[in-house]
């Protein structure tokens, strides 16, 4: 199994990162992608990926941190992206729900990161919340210049899912789908996602699956719970979990590891 979204730099993992990674590997999660959400944490994620086996990272600036983006950021990101552990640009995109950075700053940073990904021939690891139309408008001109793209932690509508799939995007599904309160709509549209466009993630330490049994003592999510997400998604899609594991692992390999090394 490959967890495409783990926020290993979170302070919630500060005291026991080694144990978290060990538990994930013991649970059969043999690939982990550490999410970079700003330049500082992207550098931390790269260093941690270097430290652990079968771990890689992304490098980018999250929409919440887009107000920090400037010309120097672009050069720092290029340098970081050339490290062998870094396999995607991101987390980048738009989040008009909270607007911790202005929409204008978000759009500037997103467009700049799409350009860098195209320049370096790297896939993008993206975020979109309450910004679907503008997100696609900014993304569309770059799609034929990018080797691939995933919209991580997808929680949108069926129409939004179809828009993304029509553009060849991968969709990342988290434990949100296990939430009997908020995840039912996402559960209903699982069947429209072609298996070859599906990726799985925990987004740990966030989005602990609510249907774990027995319930963990802590509300912190961990990558060792990815097998539970796989089992549930496979059941709701009417597919064999071992088959779906093989397919989603192949998807992750195709998206993140099938590009030439950047010059």
């Amino acid at each position: 199994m490959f967890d495409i979204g783990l926020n290993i730099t979170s302070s919630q993992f500060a005291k026991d990162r080694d144990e978290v990674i060990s538990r994930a590997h013991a649970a059969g999660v043999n690939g982990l992608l550490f999410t970079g959400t700003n330049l500082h944490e992207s550098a931390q994620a790269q260093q941690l990926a270097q430290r652990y086996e079968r771990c890689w990272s992304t490098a980018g600036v999250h929409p919440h941190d887009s107000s920090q983006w400037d010309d120097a950021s672009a050069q720092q990101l290029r340098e970081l992206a050339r490290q062998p552990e870094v396999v995607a640009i991101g987390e980048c995109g738009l989040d008009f729900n909270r607007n911790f950075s202005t929409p204008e700053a978000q759009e500037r940073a997103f467009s700049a990161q799409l350009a860098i990904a195209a320049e370096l021939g790297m896939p993008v690891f993206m975020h979109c919340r309450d910004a679907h139309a503008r997100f696609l408008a900014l993304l569309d001109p770059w799609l034929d210049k990018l080797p691939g793209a995933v919209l991580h932690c997808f929680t949108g509508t069926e129409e939004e899912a179809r828009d993304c799939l029509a553009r060849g995007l991968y969709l990342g599904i988290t434990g949100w789908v296990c939430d009997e309160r908020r995840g039912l709509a996402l559960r209903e549209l699982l069947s429209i996602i072609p298996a070859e466009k599906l990726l799985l993630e925990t987004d740990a330490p966030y989005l602990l699956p609510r249907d774990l049994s027995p319930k963990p003592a802590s509300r912190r999510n961990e990558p060792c719970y990815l097998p539970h997400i796989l089992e549930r998604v496979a059941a709701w899609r009417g597919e064999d979990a071992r088959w779906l594991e093989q397919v989603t692992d192949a998807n992750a390999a195709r998206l993140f590891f099938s590009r030439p090394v950047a010059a």
Side-chain angles (χ1 to χ4, degrees):
M1 278 166 282
F2 196 104
D3 186 347
I4 71 153
L6 168 59
N7 299 284
I8 195 64
T9 60
S10 168
S11 60
Q12 294 188 47
F13 292 131
K15 295 181 178 179
D16 64 344
R17 285 193 182 95
D18 291 353
E19 291 81 0
V20 168
I21 300 300
S22 294
R23 282 193 289 272
H25 287 162
V29 183
N30 294 317
L32 295 160
L33 185 61
F34 300 159
T35 308
T37 55
N38 57 49
L39 291 172
H40 174 69
E41 292 194 1
S42 293
Q44 285 186 315
Q46 182 267 330
Q47 291 161 10
L48 288 166
Q50 200 172 44
R51 172 176 169 181
Y52 297 112
E53 292 184 1
R54 303 190 298 280
C55 294
W56 296 267
S57 67
T58 73
V61 176
H62 189 284
H64 290 343
D65 293 305
S66 293
S67 60
Q68 303 171 11
W69 184 270
D70 58 22
D71 291 343
S73 304
Q75 188 53 36
Q76 290 176 56
L77 181 56
R78 285 187 185 92
E79 293 170 3
L80 188 54
R82 288 188 168 93
Q83 299 303 310
E85 294 80 20
V86 177
V87 297
I89 298 297
E91 180 177 353
C92 59
L94 302 177
D95 191 317
F96 292 169
N97 178 264
R98 297 185 178 183
N99 282 331
F100 289 143
S101 294
T102 66
E104 294 77 15
Q106 293 183 45
E107 293 187 11
R108 183 172 63 251
F110 183 34
S111 295
Q113 290 175 90
L114 291 170
I116 290 171
E119 172 192 331
L120 299 179
M122 297 181 70
V124 285
F125 183 90
M126 301 183 298
H127 172 108
C128 180
R129 188 174 184 190
D130 294 351
H132 179 71
R134 192 62 185 146
F135 171 81
L136 292 182
L138 294 176
L139 175 62
D140 279 348
W142 295 100
L143 283 174
D144 64 350
K145 304 173 182 67
L146 296 168
V150 56
L151 181 51
H152 116 98
C153 193
F154 182 80
T155 56
T157 65
E158 179 175 340
E159 180 181 1
E160 291 168 352
R162 291 189 185 279
D163 285 345
C164 293
L165 293 169
R167 288 163 167 80
L169 304 188
Y170 292 86
L171 298 181
I173 300 298
T174 67
W176 179 284
V177 77
C178 302
D179 188 327
E180 79 287 354
R181 306 163 305 167
R182 301 182 299 174
L184 295 180
L186 180 60
R187 197 179 301 177
E188 289 299 315
L189 62 79
L190 283 176
S191 62
I192 74 166
I193 305 173
E196 64 272 16
K197 288 298 179 182
L198 177 65
L199 292 166
L200 299 175
E201 54 181 321
T202 58
D203 203 29
Y206 317 113
L207 301 181
L208 177 72
R210 281 177 51 85
D211 58 352
L212 285 169
S213 182
K215 289 189 178 298
S218 169
R219 293 181 61 186
R220 182 185 74 172
N221 197 9
E222 289 194 21
C224 66
Y225 299 132
L226 188 68
H228 174 82
I229 297 171
L230 168 69
E231 294 281 350
R232 302 299 282 162
V233 169
W236 288 320
R237 287 171 57 91
E239 294 166 341
D240 176 74
R242 299 287 74 78
W243 176 84
L244 190 61
E245 176 185 350
Q246 293 174 357
V247 172
T248 53
D249 283 357
N251 294 344
R254 186 167 58 252
L255 178 61
F256 297 119
F257 304 112
S258 61
R259 67 183 180 92
V261 176

